[in-house]
Amino acid sequence: MSSVLVVEDEPKVASAIRQGLEGEGYTVDVASTGEDAFFRINTETFSVVLMDLSLPGRDGLDIIRALRQRDADTRVLIVTARDGLNDRIAGLNSGADDYLVKPFAFGELVARIRALERRGRSNQGQNLKLGPLEMNVWTRKVTRGERPIDLTAREFTLLEYLLRSAGYVVSRDALARDVWDERERTPTLDNVIDAHIARLRKKVDEEGASRLIHTVRGVGFVLREEP
């Protein structure tokens, strides 16, 4: 049975998550302060840690960094109200596996946890991979086979988002919100997104290589290998 540590200082939120996950068959413990979370993580074993960032005492990002210095196996899902792009980048670069913004649907939380359990972690750092395409988000190295891919900061963030959503269609609304940190789409922003996708596709899917970045007309984009 999988064990989950919920690091959350709001009692009602922590209780709701705990009850819901226990209903899904998980063993759940709760830590309400940074110090308590740090102690529990260092003395006990959990399959997944749900980490809030704004905690009394020790900051959630500091806890994740400390965890990664000694442990490459425990999966960490940040669950926080911090929804800015820079917050997401900082959270993932600290060593978290995924990032979920409050408020969220409980079904999505469970789906994210199960995805982390299936995916596991690499003991060589946080690596994302689809076929010949590989990304290490710590070193910011991207390769396709033996070929290195040089990306701008925005292109890197965009490709990371697509890799984390590999196999699922990502809408322009989602890219506007999560990659460009804009609450509303505009025709100008749509053009910017399309231009970045085009440049990214040119770098990733160079001539002669099988296409990985696909456009789903009227919906968005998807990163997947063709059969």
Side-chain angles (χ1 to χ4, degrees):
M1 182 179 296
S2 298
S3 58
V4 177
L5 177 65
V6 178
V7 184
E8 170 61 60
D9 65 325
E10 291 291 337
K12 290 184 178 179
V13 175
S15 178
I17 293 175
R18 180 173 195 163
Q19 291 179 20
L21 290 181
E22 287 178 341
E24 295 290 329
Y26 289 95
T27 298
V28 183
D29 290 292
V30 175
S32 59
T33 67
E35 288 83 358
D36 186 23
F38 184 75
F39 176 79
R40 299 288 296 275
I41 288 171
N42 280 281
T43 57
E44 302 174 49
T45 301
F46 300 96
S47 302
V48 178
V49 175
L50 306 186
M51 180 68 69
D52 192 9
L53 296 182
S54 301
L55 297 166
R58 194 160 187 162
D59 181 75
L61 292 181
D62 290 338
I63 298 172
I64 297 171
R65 294 189 190 101
L67 170 65
R68 289 298 171 234
Q69 288 177 0
R70 68 166 187 83
D71 181 2
D73 295 323
T74 300
R75 278 81 83 188
V76 178
L77 169 59
I78 292 176
V79 183
T80 180
R82 299 183 192 175
D83 61 353
L85 175 60
N86 290 336
D87 294 316
R88 294 171 185 268
I89 293 172
L92 295 170
N93 284 343
S94 72
D97 297 277
D98 201 356
Y99 197 107
L100 182 62
V101 175
K102 300 174 183 176
F104 53 84
F106 182 74
E108 181 179 6
L109 175 66
V110 174
R112 299 277 189 113
I113 293 173
R114 288 174 176 163
L116 289 180
E117 290 178 313
R118 289 193 300 270
R119 187 174 72 198
R121 289 190 57 86
S122 164
N123 59 11
Q124 298 300 318
Q126 190 173 359
N127 293 298
L128 303 175
K129 188 176 188 300
L130 178 71
L133 181 64
E134 295 189 60
M135 169 186 285
N136 187 299
V137 299
W138 290 352
T139 64
R140 301 185 73 81
K141 179 182 178 181
V142 180
T143 58
R144 178 162 182 167
E146 298 297 322
R147 175 173 62 90
I149 301 175
D150 185 27
L151 301 176
T152 66
R154 181 76 74 181
E155 289 167 351
F156 184 93
T157 303
L158 175 58
L159 182 58
E160 180 183 354
Y161 193 89
L162 292 173
L163 274 166
R164 291 185 182 279
S165 307
Y168 296 91
V169 177
V170 174
S171 67
R172 287 181 176 83
D173 285 319
L175 293 177
R177 180 186 66 244
D178 297 334
V179 177
W180 271 266
D181 202 23
E182 296 288 344
R183 291 292 166 264
E184 295 183 4
R185 280 175 53 196
T186 64
T188 299
L189 182 55
D190 279 354
N191 290 335
V192 170
I193 291 173
D194 289 346
H196 276 78
I197 288 288
R199 288 197 293 269
L200 187 60
R201 180 182 282 128
K202 185 176 181 180
K203 293 181 177 183
V204 172
D205 296 335
E206 67 174 4
E207 186 176 352
S210 59
R211 179 172 292 186
L212 296 178
I213 301 175
H214 304 269
T215 299
V216 180
R217 190 175 300 277
V219 182
F221 310 95
V222 60
L223 190 69
R224 65 170 178 244
E225 284 190 285
E226 291 293 274

